[in-house]
Amino acid sequence: MKPVVLRTKKAARAYVTAQQKAGKTIALVPTMGALHEGHASLMRQARPKADIVIVSVFVNPTQFGPNEDFAKYPRTFQDDLLVCEREKVDAVFAPQPKDMYCGDRSAWVNEESLSRFLCGARRIGHFKGVCTVVSKLFNLFQPQVACFGKKDAQQLLILERMVRDLDFPIKVVECPLIREKSGLALSSRNKYLSPEEKKQALVLSQSLKAAKEAVSSGKSAAETKKLIAKIIATSPLAKVDYISICDRETLEEVKTFKKGQKILVALAVYFGTTRLIDNVWLTTPKK
Ligand code: PAF
């Protein structure tokens, strides 16, 4: 069955009220569209967790900086609908920015600790835009469950912190990062890559694989970082934005590993004008 398309907040509210009256639970999958297999896997995670699955498709202007790719971000709504239909999504919310946001908006949701690091340090205001739009979606849809991918690790950790600190009665489901067979992490921004850039971007997953082995064989944080940098440097097109090995609770850079420490190895690297991120979630050896 084709999903119901909700174009306005008013339509969304009416839909949610009807579902709630019928005693249905709701799982929300927030997206910015340009849906790929990674998003489809979020929908598949959501499907058994609630009666109704709602996908939002909204390229959120408030999370893009003035020099970022808001205008050229891929918009593929008709194809997105086909993905949602295939994944048995019940409703797709696709509002216009002027319906989502009042022109004189002045209230925001901001996470102030984890947002200081990694992408938050480079994309000023990005996570404020993400937290605000996700809070708005939570208020509109009042889901019991919301699914986010580990690909955007910092986003996921910040949204979990937001849910905890602001008492949203929502279970956040951490969904696995999905890769192409080549190892390239799926991302809507992969569409920007030339064939050569795409080929060279494999250094990201290759360096993370090497990092995983290095950490499990007892190498230090500094040695692991060096190894990652060396592998990325084999690509002449790669321009490193950051290589981080950080604690998964605080996102602070780890200088010395503790035993059994939960860490995040995260990368942001430009290939041409396209900035790709990738990461791996690791635990340091227990002994
Ligand atoms: O991950 C994304 O696509 C976006 O940041 C999100 C969570 C849909 C908010 O706009």
Side-chain angles (χ1 to χ4, degrees), residues 21 50 53 56 71-72 81 86 90 106 121 124 132 260 265 269 280:
K21 277 207 178 120
V53 174
S56 62
K72 76 162 194 176
L81 278 182
R86 203 176 61 222
D90 298 283
S106 54
I124 303 303
T132 301
V265 182
V269 179
V280 64

Side-chain angles (χ1 to χ4, degrees), residues 123-140:
R123 302 184 67 189
I124 303 303
H126 170 68
F127 289 114
K128 183 173 156 191
V130 170
C131 287
T132 301
V133 80
V134 171
S135 299
K136 285 160 73 71
L137 293 168
F138 283 177
N139 285 333
L140 275 170

